[in-house]
């Protein structure tokens, strides 16, 4: 109304050119207005020279006061009839509006046809008086309290309409999100949507809202597929948040089953039960999912019927990923049918704007620049360009694929390390002691200029054949040494920490000095060419051997390892780097993992040396069975002794072969009773002593 008054004030009668119109023209304009025609449509039908005279008639005649309030269904039906009654040929805009109105009318009819559940009190009244005896007494007690309460319907969404979502969801969309919503309404483009996106542009948030709205209005099932259970729960948390904040509804259950019959399922890609369901499918971060071809087969099976949609969206990884031919359309274009349509394949510029491709997929690229142009003001582009190196920025925010040809780690090896955090029964992140008293190793990569300080918690294998597991990862940006050291101290209180590897090449020494106050055994890692090569080689051995795993939803770990590239120094020596300088690394999570793995020797098959020392005591210590080994004639040439408390870098001292050694007093084996004789005891495997252990080594 305010807008209309402004228009009237701007176009007052004295500004209009004097022109006389017949009473028939005015009455025709009035009838059209009361039929909900727009002022522009009235002008076009009556061939009026200017739209301002229509606004003048509306004000002078008080036509707006003659309009009566209508129900949404009535208003939609009247608008459809009005468009169809046009004598001229319908334009593209009219056809699009007609298509949207038809869909809205169908949804409103479905909702109005659903029976409203009768109150329990009315049902009891129709059934007649209660039975005699004990049931009457119960009814009397209920009447004293005001009657029985009406049973609350679980996840009741029967009262929600499309109008309820206009301001809450549709009205708050950014420009690029509106394009995705329009593609969903288009019957030609909605079957398969394939979106390549920048990081943190809110697509997970948007698709959660879109699926929730669709489930409420249509009753269709919605299925969310993610790399891990924890990642799929992000969709569920968003939907629960929408229902609570927008409509005050509390949704429960997993899967969430709405009152209209729609089911919202949140599955991980390793779920064997995923194939038994059907509905609209959403696949999150599919460029970081292992065995994508198998996943795509499962997703296609769940959305076989023509009414179901499939939506894929992800940040790019490497061109060697199985999903790359799916995105580029290479598989279709190499087929017999696709070769005929190869000339019609859209260019990259058209795909960036969103277009329907010959293989039936609607593809679109959303970069950080597109998000900013679409109204998203959550980014500081200049600051982000300072925080990330050029290659990583182009990959994460400009949707450029990683060139993995020079990478020290391959994507296929990294994919074999994916796991699901929900499958680790011995780890509970909500517990005060998440991993009990089992040992863990910490790796810390300090914060450099504009980078994150990263700390990871790794569980070493407790038995032969087991794997390392990355339990937790933490990032701290813009905090002091004291704060970061305090966070590491909290980790030592929650876990049984047996190793902390800290990079002390530069500013990390400040944190290292503070950590030593409460954890004296912290290991300093000073970067050099040899140290860096040793760290990368150890990580390559662990990853290529599939001896480490982490949650598949942590895509930043694989991204970090892929950015570490092989190179050469000026002298021709091999080195590895992932940053702006050669001395430090920018792949923070990857280097932190390597700092933790540094505690394991390169030769994992070699049995570690004992930490026992020489002593004059003859007290018996615990005896352990050792594997029988064959020794050569040179085995007694020298003896190496290791002092407890010394670091791994300390060389063992060799005892001269000519040094006269005091023979130990005979010690009986633990499994042999005293008095049996020394000859029997000597036949057993050498014993470990609490104060003495001599290890033979070849000269």
């Amino acid at each position: 109304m305010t807008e209309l008054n402004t228009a009237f004030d701007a176009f007052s009668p004295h500004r209009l050119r004097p022109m006389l119109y017949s009473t028939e023209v005015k009455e025709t304009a009035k009838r059209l207005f009361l039929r909900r025609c727009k002022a522009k449509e009235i002008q076009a039908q009556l061939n009026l020279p200017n739209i301002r005279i229509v606004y003048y008639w509306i004000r002078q005649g008080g036509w707006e006061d003659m309009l009566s309030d209508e129900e949404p269904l009535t208003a939609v039906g009247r608008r459809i009839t009005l468009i169809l009654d046009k004598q001229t040929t319908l334009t593209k805009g009219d056809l699009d509006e007609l298509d949207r109105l038809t869909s809205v009318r169908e949804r409103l009819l479905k909702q109005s046809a659903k029976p409203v559940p009768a109150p329990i009190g009315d049902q009891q009244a129709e059934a007649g008086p209660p039975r005699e005896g004990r049931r009457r007494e119960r009814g009397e007690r209920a009447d004293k309290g005001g009657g029985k309460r009406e049973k609350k319907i679980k996840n009741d969404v029967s009262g929600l309409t499309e109008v309820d979502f206009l301001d809450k969801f549709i009205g708050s969309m950014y420009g690029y999100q509106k394009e995705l919503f329009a593609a969903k309404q288009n019957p030609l483009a909605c079957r398969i949507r394939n979106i390549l996106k920048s990081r943190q542009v809110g697509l997970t948030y948007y698709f959660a809202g879109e699926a929730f709205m669709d489930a409420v209005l249509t009753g269709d099932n919605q299925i969310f597929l993610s790399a891990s259970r924890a990642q799929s729960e992000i969709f569920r948390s968003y939907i629960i948040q929408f229902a609570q904040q927008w409509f005050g509804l509390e949704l429960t259950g997993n899967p969430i089953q709405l009152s209209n019959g729609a089911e919202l399922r949140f599955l991980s890609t390793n779920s064997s039960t995923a194939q038994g369901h059907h509905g609209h499918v959403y696949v999150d971060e599919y460029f970081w999912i292992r065995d994508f071809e198998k996943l795509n087969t499962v997703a296609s099976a769940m959305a076989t019927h023509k009414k179901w949609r499939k939506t894929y969206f992800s940040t790019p990884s490497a061109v060697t990923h199985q999903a790359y031919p799916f995105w580029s359309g290479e598989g279709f274009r190499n087929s017999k049918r696709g070769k005929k349509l190869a000339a019609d394949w859209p260019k990259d510029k058209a795909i960036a704007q969103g277009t329907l491709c010959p293989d039936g997929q609607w593809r679109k690229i959303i970069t950080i620049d597109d998000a900013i142009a679409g109204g998203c003001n959550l980014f500081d582009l200049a600051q982000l360009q300072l925080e990330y190196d050029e290659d990583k920025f182009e990959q994460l925010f400009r949707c450029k694929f990683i060139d993995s040809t020079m990478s020290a780690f391959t994507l296929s090896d990294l994919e074999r390390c994916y796991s699901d955090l929900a499958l680790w029964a011995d780890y509970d992140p909500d517990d005060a002691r998440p991993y009990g008293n089992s040992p863990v190793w910490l790796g810390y990569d300090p914060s450099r200029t504009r980078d994150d300080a990263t700390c990871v918690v790794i569980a070493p294998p407790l038995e032969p054949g087991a794997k390392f597991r990355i339990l937790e990862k933490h990032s701290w940006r813009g905090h002091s040494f004291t704060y970061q050291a305090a966070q590491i101290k909290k980790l030592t209180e929650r876990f049984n920490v047996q190793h902390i590897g800290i990079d002390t090449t530069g500013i990390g020494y400040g944190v290292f000095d503070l950590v030593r106050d409460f954890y004296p055994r912290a290991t300093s890692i000073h970067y050099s060419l040899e140290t860096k090569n040793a760290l990368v080689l150890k990580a390559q051995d662990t990853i290529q051997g599939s001896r480490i795993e982490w949650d598949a939803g942590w895509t930043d770990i694989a991204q970090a390892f892929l950015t570490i590239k092989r190179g050469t120094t000026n002298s021709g020596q091999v080195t590895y780097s992932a940053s702006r300088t050669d001395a430090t690394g920018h792949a923070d999570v990857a280097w932190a993992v390597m700092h933790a793995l540094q505690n394991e020797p390169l030769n994992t098959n070699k049995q570690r040396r004992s930490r026992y020392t020489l002593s004059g005591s003859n007290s018996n210590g615990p005896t352990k069975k050792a594997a029988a080994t064959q020794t050569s004639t040179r085995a007694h040439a020298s003896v190496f002794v290791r002092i407890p408390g010394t670091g791994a870098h300390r060389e063992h001292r060799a005892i001269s072969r000519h040094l006269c050694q005091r023979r130990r007093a005979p010690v009986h084996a633990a499994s042999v009773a005293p008095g049996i004789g020394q000859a029997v005891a000597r036949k057993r495997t050498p014993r470990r002593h609490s104060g003495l252990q001599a290890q033979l080594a070849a000269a």
Side-chain angles (χ1 to χ4, degrees):
M1 186 66 184
T2 305
E3 184 180 357
L4 188 61
N5 292 334
T6 305
F8 290 146
D9 295 336
F11 308 113
S12 57
H14 69 273
R15 296 186 180 183
L16 298 175
R17 184 178 63 181
M19 183 176 295
L20 298 177
Y21 295 91
S22 63
T23 306
E24 290 81 7
V25 174
K26 294 181 181 179
E27 289 296 327
T28 303
K30 179 180 179 181
R31 288 196 301 270
L32 292 174
F33 179 79
L34 294 179
R35 293 181 62 187
R36 273 49 179 200
C37 284
K38 300 178 181 178
K40 188 175 182 179
E41 295 175 343
I42 297 174
Q43 178 205 354
Q45 291 194 32
L46 300 180
N47 295 323
L48 299 176
N50 201 303
I51 197 176
R52 293 177 293 179
I53 189 61
V54 180
Y55 288 121
Y56 176 73
W57 289 342
I58 293 173
R59 183 178 182 181
Q60 289 298 110
W63 294 355
E64 279 197 331
D65 297 335
M66 301 178 185
L67 295 175
S68 59
D69 296 333
E70 293 180 323
E71 295 293 331
L73 184 60
T74 305
V76 171
R78 183 185 293 275
R79 183 61 183 171
I80 293 175
T81 304
L82 188 64
I83 296 175
L84 295 176
D85 288 342
K86 287 186 176 181
Q87 297 179 358
T88 59
T89 305
L90 298 181
T91 63
K92 185 178 183 300
D94 294 335
L95 294 175
D96 293 340
E97 184 181 3
L98 188 63
D99 183 66
R100 292 194 300 269
L101 291 173
T102 304
S103 301
V104 173
R105 185 175 180 273
E106 184 179 354
R107 296 170 186 172
L108 293 176
L109 288 174
K110 287 183 179 179
Q111 292 178 359
S112 61
K114 295 178 181 178
V116 180
I120 296 182
D122 297 344
Q123 296 178 359
Q124 291 180 349
E126 295 177 0
R131 296 182 179 180
E132 300 291 334
R134 189 175 181 180
R135 293 192 177 186
R136 179 181 293 179
E137 295 177 359
R138 292 179 178 177
E140 292 175 356
R141 288 196 296 267
D143 293 337
K144 292 179 181 180
K148 292 185 177 180
R149 295 182 179 178
E150 181 180 351
K151 186 177 180 181
K152 187 177 180 180
I153 302 175
K154 183 179 179 181
N155 300 333
D156 186 15
V157 295
S158 58
L160 301 180
T161 63
E162 189 174 14
V163 179
D164 299 323
F165 288 91
L166 289 176
D167 296 334
K168 305 295 185 180
F169 179 59
I170 301 177
S172 62
M173 293 181 184
Y174 295 120
Y176 55 95
Q177 294 174 338
K178 292 180 180 179
E179 294 178 10
L180 299 178
F181 187 76
K184 173 183 172 293
Q185 307 299 324
N186 188 346
L188 298 177
C190 68
R191 172 62 178 172
I192 302 177
R193 292 178 295 175
N194 198 345
I195 299 99
L196 198 66
K197 70 177 186 71
S198 166
R199 171 186 280 186
Q200 296 296 321
V201 292
L203 285 202
T204 303
Y205 177 92
Y206 164 76
F207 283 122
E210 176 191 285
F212 176 56
M213 175 181 174
D214 191 58
V216 170
L217 299 180
T218 65
D220 293 341
N221 298 334
Q222 314 290 326
I223 302 174
F224 303 89
L225 286 176
S226 300
S228 64
R229 175 69 66 176
Q231 190 176 3
S232 65
E233 285 295 321
I234 297 176
F235 285 102
R236 183 173 179 268
S237 62
Y238 277 147
I239 292 174
I240 293 176
Q241 178 183 345
F242 296 153
Q244 181 64 41
Q245 293 182 355
W246 295 351
F247 314 115
L249 299 177
E250 184 178 354
L251 300 182
T252 58
N254 193 4
I256 300 176
Q257 186 168 1
L258 304 181
S259 60
N260 59 2
E263 289 186 351
L264 288 79
R265 295 188 175 271
F266 312 92
L267 308 173
S268 58
T269 56
N270 59 357
S271 177
S272 60
T273 60
Q275 303 183 39
H277 309 288
H278 60 275
H280 302 297
V281 181
Y282 295 85
V283 185
D284 185 16
E285 294 292 351
Y286 71 93
F287 262 112
W288 300 95
I289 290 176
R290 180 183 177 183
D291 298 330
F292 172 77
E293 293 180 354
K294 181 179 179 182
L295 166 68
N296 194 27
T297 303
V298 174
S300 300
M302 292 187 292
T304 302
H305 297 172
K306 63 180 182 179
K307 65 175 294 186
W308 305 126
R309 300 185 309 274
K310 292 184 292 184
T311 304
Y312 302 81
F313 59 102
S314 174
T315 54
S317 58
V319 295
T320 56
H321 195 272
Q322 291 184 358
Y324 185 77
F326 178 77
W327 161 256
S328 63
E330 181 180 350
F332 175 80
R333 286 187 285 180
N334 291 335
S335 64
K336 184 177 180 180
R337 181 184 178 186
K339 290 181 180 180
K340 300 179 181 179
L341 303 174
D344 300 332
W345 196 265
K347 304 297 182 181
D348 294 341
K349 186 177 181 180
I351 294 178
Q353 297 175 356
T355 184
L356 182 64
C357 299
D359 61 347
Q361 295 190 35
W362 185 83
R363 291 178 171 86
K364 182 175 176 60
I365 301 176
I366 303 176
T367 65
I368 189 173
D369 302 305
D370 300 327
I372 296 174
C376 184
N377 57 355
L378 305 176
F379 302 101
D380 188 343
L381 187 59
Q383 182 65 26
L384 289 175
Q385 289 176 330
L386 293 175
E387 295 176 0
Y388 295 89
D389 63 81
E390 185 176 355
D391 294 338
K392 196 170 185 179
F393 182 84
E394 291 293 319
Q395 182 251 325
L396 293 178
F397 299 101
R398 293 272 170 77
C399 299
K400 301 296 183 182
F401 286 88
I402 300 173
D403 183 11
S404 58
T405 56
M406 297 298 296
S407 179
F409 303 88
T410 62
L411 184 59
S412 58
D413 292 336
L414 294 169
E415 287 179 339
R416 289 196 296 269
C417 300
Y418 292 169
S419 182
D420 197 335
L421 193 66
L423 301 177
W424 302 345
D426 56 345
Y427 172 70
D428 185 6
D430 299 327
D431 198 353
R433 300 283 291 181
Y435 197 51
N437 202 38
S438 300
V440 298
W441 299 348
L442 302 188
Y444 171 80
D445 186 70
S447 173
R448 301 173 178 86
T449 306
R450 305 178 301 270
D451 297 345
D452 288 340
T454 306
C455 185
V456 297
V457 181
I458 295 182
L462 301 178
E463 56 186 11
K467 299 181 179 180
F468 289 93
R469 290 180 292 171
I470 303 179
L471 303 180
E472 294 182 3
K473 57 184 180 71
H474 305 273
S475 295
W476 308 304
R477 174 179 294 183
H479 295 285
S480 63
F481 293 158
T482 305
Y483 176 85
Q484 297 180 34
Q487 298 303 311
I488 296 177
K489 184 178 181 180
K490 292 181 180 179
L491 294 177
T492 60
E493 296 171 351
R494 297 174 61 229
F495 295 93
N496 179 19
V497 180
Q498 294 191 351
H499 164 75
I500 302 179
I502 300 178
D503 176 15
T504 59
T505 306
I507 60 177
Y509 190 84
V511 177
F512 174 74
D513 195 32
L514 295 175
V515 170
R516 283 195 305 179
D517 293 340
F518 58 86
Y519 195 87
R521 294 181 296 170
T523 303
S524 170
I525 302 175
H526 192 278
Y527 269 53
S528 64
L529 186 62
E530 293 77 12
T531 303
K532 185 184 297 184
N533 290 345
L535 290 173
V536 175
L537 289 174
K538 179 60 190 174
Q540 286 178 337
D541 177 74
T542 305
I543 292 175
Q544 292 174 2
S546 300
R547 297 193 299 110
I548 188 172
E549 58 185 9
W550 58 83
D551 189 85
W554 295 344
T555 59
D556 55 333
I557 298 179
Q559 291 174 353
F561 277 106
L562 286 175
T563 57
I564 300 176
K565 297 183 179 180
R566 186 185 298 105
T568 57
T569 62
N570 296 330
S571 60
Q573 294 180 297
V574 178
T575 185
Y576 302 91
S577 62
S579 65
R580 309 170 191 90
T581 64
D582 293 333
T584 59
H586 183 73
D588 311 294
V589 179
W591 292 114
V593 171
M594 286 186 274
H595 296 165
L597 295 178
Q598 185 258 356
N599 191 48
E600 187 185 41
L602 286 175
N603 188 1
T604 58
N605 297 324
K606 186 176 181 179
Q607 189 176 3
R608 296 189 179 184
R609 298 184 182 275
S610 173
R611 297 178 181 267
Y612 292 99
T613 60
L614 289 171
S615 175
S617 175
N618 293 327
S619 60
N620 295 332
T623 303
K624 294 183 179 180
K625 286 188 178 182
T629 57
Q630 297 181 355
T631 59
S632 62
T633 57
R634 304 173 59 188
H636 302 278
S638 60
V639 179
F640 290 83
V641 180
R642 185 172 183 179
I643 308 298
T646 60
H649 61 277
R650 179 80 174 268
E651 294 184 358
H652 302 288
R653 180 171 57 89
I655 301 177
S656 175
R657 71 180 69 182
H658 303 293
L659 182 63
C660 182
Q661 298 290 323
R662 182 190 303 176
R663 298 185 63 180
R664 294 186 296 167
V667 182
H668 299 291
S671 60
V672 182
I676 299 295
Q678 300 179 6
V680 179
R682 293 193 186 103
K683 295 181 181 180
R684 301 191 57 84
T685 307
R687 298 167 294 278
R688 294 186 178 181
H689 195 270
S690 60
L692 175 65
Q693 182 181 19
Q695 182 174 356
L696 303 178

